[in-house]
Amino acid sequence: MDTTELIKTARDMLARDQAQQALDLIGPAVPREQRNIELLRVLAETLMELDRPADATAVYQGILGIDPDHAEAAAKVREAIAAMELLLKLASNADDLRAWDEARENYEAVLHQYPLAILALTRLLAMDGFEGRLGDAERHERFLIRALKAIDLRTIHHNNLAMIAYQAIMRPLTPSVEKSVTAALTTQIAALAEGFGPPATGQPKSTQRLRIGYLSNNFRDHPIGHVTAALFAAHDRAKVEVHVFYCPAGEANPYTDQIKAGAERFHVEREPAAMLRAIARENLDVLVYLDGYMTTFLMPVVARRPAAIQVYWLGHAGSCEIDGIDYVLADETVVPAGEEALYRAKTVRLAGTYHPASPHPIGPDLSRAEAGLPESGFVFCAFNNPEKIDTPTFDVWMRILRRVPGSVLWLSVTQSKSLAENLRKEAEARGIGGERLVFATRLPDKAMHLARHRHAGLFLDTLGLNASTTALDALWAGLPLLTVTGPRFASRIATSFLKALDMPEMACRTALEFEERAVTLASDPAALAATKDRLATNLTSQPLFHVDAFCRKLEAALIGIAATHRG
């Protein structure tokens, strides 16, 4: 059958609703007739009939590659783009309104038309996390990696690139893909910084005190605000001058007030360009940037280098691979010797742990009923951000529940009402009754939140991205924490805390050891009591929660950086 007859036969099949037979007929001919526009038109029409719009659009784009003036192909491509943009707009609007089901439906429809739609993939991956959709998260992560390898990353908006870089802390990309993402982000941030005009680097003054600035959107009721609340007041004013630069991303609250009171100078600016000028005016020796990839709002400020030395620290695990970051603060646990080459910035290690911990008052006792717990049974606690829960973590948690009869797992809620339902279904699929997952509502009073930890016997960490602020809350409340020392910065955070408390035995080497130790402690009241007693003693005898001691280490590191930088 020649090509003309082939095309006629295929069209006849389409007219009889035999699209799959038409595809089977013309498919083998396409590689031989790659520039036959009529054959390609039939192929595109057939793919549309088979509900494969992304493949059909790709064929129409191929026709335009042969004949850029082909009116039908151009119209079909425009229709596909318009349809995708409409779906993205509908999805984004629903997303903003927290109408998650509608947003998900439209994002999935976008992917059906265009599997390489990065915005849809990143938002779906985020939604998977706070809705407890473990299988969907794995699927969308695979799709995202495939898409990132296939497209020109320069075409992705910088906000999406930052979101991808941040999600990679929880769900790692391949090293080459992650490097490409951060390189593309750096280029775009540098271009934004150019819009601020000539560089505005301050000139450090010749004074006996080191002039330090801390920059963040999150000096508020946020993990950064929580762990730094007592930090700035603890600085030695004879050695350092403390400036806090705050670009508000939420309402002021007691954390903001405490941070403001602890700073020597508290600067508030709502626009990046104004913040750039404010920092440059102060002629700092060192600027410490805390937000990392969580938001791009202040990245151009850092890239424009308002201070002579700039350091990334704390906001999330790892570094922030944008221009303008000279150093990253870590410790020997999260970045052991030999891993410095993983980061563009130079690694400076603090003794002990890199992470501050601010003590907080603990409220009066609650009853189990007031805490929403059943009257009996061992309570495993995992108040980690549910977005950190992945399939390997959930699997080992469920194995632990199976081996400790009557026990429950106490989790945090998110903004999604679907979280509890989805995770309970995941539990039931593993043979664990859904009622054994208990969800704690968010309490506005942190003292009461800390108090309810008394009803738990053991805190179970997430294995890919460890708990950080929630881990510190548990430890301060007297709740032992169990973790696994993993292969990355993100999976070594809790180990760093435990070493600083001189309780390294609570950091396991493998998930199997984690499971065995959790079951042993839950089944042996004497062993658990001894662990709790040791934790209570070490909270005061070891340095983790000693803010003044931590501040001396931080000052020493920053003073050393400044001295090295000056040569």
Side-chain angles (χ1 to χ4, degrees):
M1 188 181 301
D2 65 19
T3 304
T4 301
E5 188 176 353
L6 195 71
I7 293 171
K8 182 179 182 303
T9 303
R11 288 198 182 281
D12 289 341
M13 289 178 172
L14 289 176
R16 295 193 300 271
D17 293 328
Q18 296 175 337
Q20 185 58 56
Q21 291 91 324
L23 181 62
D24 292 342
L25 177 67
I26 64 175
V30 172
R32 301 192 305 269
E33 299 277 352
Q34 294 181 20
R35 298 186 65 81
N36 188 317
I37 289 179
E38 287 306 306
L39 180 63
L40 293 176
R41 286 181 62 212
V42 176
L43 175 61
E45 292 166 17
T46 303
L47 291 168
M48 287 299 292
E49 287 296 318
L50 291 170
D51 194 25
R52 292 170 57 180
D55 293 333
T57 301
V59 174
Y60 282 122
Q61 289 172 325
I63 292 173
L64 288 176
I66 300 167
D67 178 6
D69 298 323
H70 196 283
E72 179 190 3
K76 294 293 186 181
V77 170
R78 286 195 300 270
E79 287 174 14
I81 292 172
M84 184 185 72
E85 289 177 344
L86 176 60
L87 286 170
L88 272 177
K89 183 176 181 180
L90 292 172
S92 295
N93 289 343
D95 208 343
D96 291 341
L97 294 171
R98 297 192 174 188
W100 308 123
D101 290 343
E102 181 183 346
R104 178 177 291 278
E105 181 180 349
N106 284 310
Y107 283 133
E108 291 283 12
V110 170
L111 290 184
H112 183 61
Q113 290 196 21
Y114 186 56
L116 304 182
I118 296 295
L119 175 59
L121 284 167
T122 53
R123 284 307 302 153
L124 282 168
L125 195 53
M127 292 167 63
D128 294 339
F130 61 69
E131 289 189 328
R133 295 175 179 265
L134 305 184
D136 285 342
E138 292 182 328
R139 177 170 62 92
H140 289 136
E141 182 181 6
R142 290 195 303 271
F143 289 173
L144 178 62
I145 292 174
R146 183 178 66 189
L148 291 172
K149 289 179 178 179
I151 66 176
D152 184 349
L153 299 186
R154 293 173 298 180
T155 64
I156 303 175
H157 192 276
H158 59 272
N159 286 341
N160 295 339
L161 289 168
M163 186 188 305
I164 294 165
Y166 182 64
Q167 288 176 336
I169 299 165
M170 290 178 272
R171 302 182 183 280
L173 302 171
T174 63
S176 60
V177 169
E178 185 170 356
K179 185 175 181 180
S180 297
V181 168
T182 55
L185 175 62
T186 295
T187 299
Q188 291 195 33
I189 294 299
L192 289 174
E194 289 289 333
F196 291 165
T201 304
Q203 299 300 317
K205 297 179 179 179
S206 297
T207 65
Q208 291 185 337
R209 296 197 301 162
L210 192 76
R211 296 168 65 85
I212 302 172
Y214 295 91
L215 173 65
S216 178
N217 277 132
N218 295 307
F219 292 131
R220 53 189 174 90
D221 187 6
H222 179 277
I224 287 177
H226 290 201
V227 297
T228 61
L231 179 68
F232 306 122
H235 271 301
D236 183 348
R237 293 297 195 268
K239 293 182 178 178
V240 299
E241 180 177 319
V242 181
H243 294 255
V244 171
F245 297 90
Y246 179 38
C247 207
E251 296 296 322
N253 53 65
Y255 292 101
T256 307
D257 295 339
Q258 185 178 358
I259 289 167
K260 181 177 181 180
E264 208 161 331
R265 296 280 305 280
F266 189 79
H267 310 262
V268 177
E269 298 290 351
R270 296 187 178 274
E271 296 299 329
M275 182 61 79
L276 176 69
R277 293 190 294 270
I279 297 171
R281 279 197 301 268
E282 296 302 328
N283 298 307
L284 301 176
D285 292 290
V286 181
L287 176 67
V288 181
Y289 174 55
L290 288 88
D291 291 349
Y293 299 129
M294 291 186 289
T295 171
T296 60
F297 195 68
L298 293 172
M299 284 185 184
V301 175
V302 176
R304 208 58 176 152
R305 189 174 284 283
I309 306 168
Q310 301 188 153
V311 176
Y312 171 71
W313 174 57
L314 191 62
H316 55 64
S319 185
C320 181
E321 302 286 282
I322 61 171
D323 287 343
I325 300 295
D326 305 303
Y327 297 90
V328 57
L329 297 184
D331 62 48
E332 63 181 7
T333 299
V334 292
V335 183
E339 291 192 3
E340 301 87 350
L342 295 176
Y343 307 108
R344 291 177 66 196
K346 296 177 182 177
T347 301
V348 172
R349 295 179 179 83
L350 275 63
T353 182
Y354 78 102
H355 203 293
S358 294
H360 193 284
I362 300 176
D365 287 345
L366 301 171
S367 69
R368 284 178 70 118
E370 288 173 323
L373 291 165
E375 286 304 313
S376 62
F378 190 90
V379 178
F380 292 104
C381 176
F383 284 159
N384 324 52
N385 181 342
E387 292 183 39
K388 299 180 181 181
I389 301 173
D390 55 18
T391 296
T393 294
F394 198 77
D395 285 345
V396 71
W397 286 353
M398 294 304 101
R399 292 199 300 270
I400 291 167
L401 288 187
R402 185 179 300 112
R403 295 177 62 187
V404 182
S407 63
V408 297
L409 179 63
W410 202 8
L411 300 163
S412 293
V413 296
T414 64
Q415 64 266 48
S416 171
K417 296 178 182 178
S418 301
L419 175 73
E421 178 184 355
N422 290 332
L423 287 183
R424 283 175 174 146
K425 286 180 180 177
E426 293 282 355
E428 289 164 359
R430 292 162 174 79
I432 302 297
E435 74 281 357
R436 294 179 67 183
L437 271 58
V438 180
F439 291 85
T441 57
R442 181 176 172 81
L443 296 178
D445 183 348
K446 185 166 184 174
M448 296 302 293
H449 169 63
L450 293 173
R452 64 182 169 181
H453 284 75
R454 295 187 180 113
H455 291 299
L458 187 65
F459 188 101
L460 299 179
D461 201 6
T462 39
L463 309 187
L465 172 56
N466 292 167
S468 51
T469 306
T470 48
L472 293 171
D473 287 346
L475 292 167
W476 180 245
L479 178 61
L481 177 147
L482 195 66
T483 192
V484 175
T485 306
R488 305 184 307 129
F489 190 131
S491 54
R492 299 168 182 157
I493 296 170
T495 300
S496 177
F497 299 163
L498 291 167
K499 286 183 177 180
L501 278 173
D502 193 25
M503 298 184 72
E505 72 280 2
M506 298 296 285
C508 304
R509 291 168 294 180
T510 65
L512 179 59
E513 182 184 343
F514 177 88
E515 177 184 341
E516 294 298 329
R517 185 134 179 86
V519 171
T520 297
L521 287 170
S523 306
D524 186 341
L528 181 62
T531 301
K532 287 189 172 185
D533 288 345
R534 185 164 174 229
L535 173 59
T537 298
N538 290 10
L539 285 174
T540 56
S541 66
Q542 299 300 319
L544 180 60
F545 287 93
H546 293 192
V547 179
D548 288 348
F550 180 86
C551 215
R552 300 294 83 76
K553 293 190 305 181
L554 179 60
E555 288 166 357
L558 296 177
I559 289 170
I561 286 171
T564 300
H565 202 78
R566 290 169 186 155

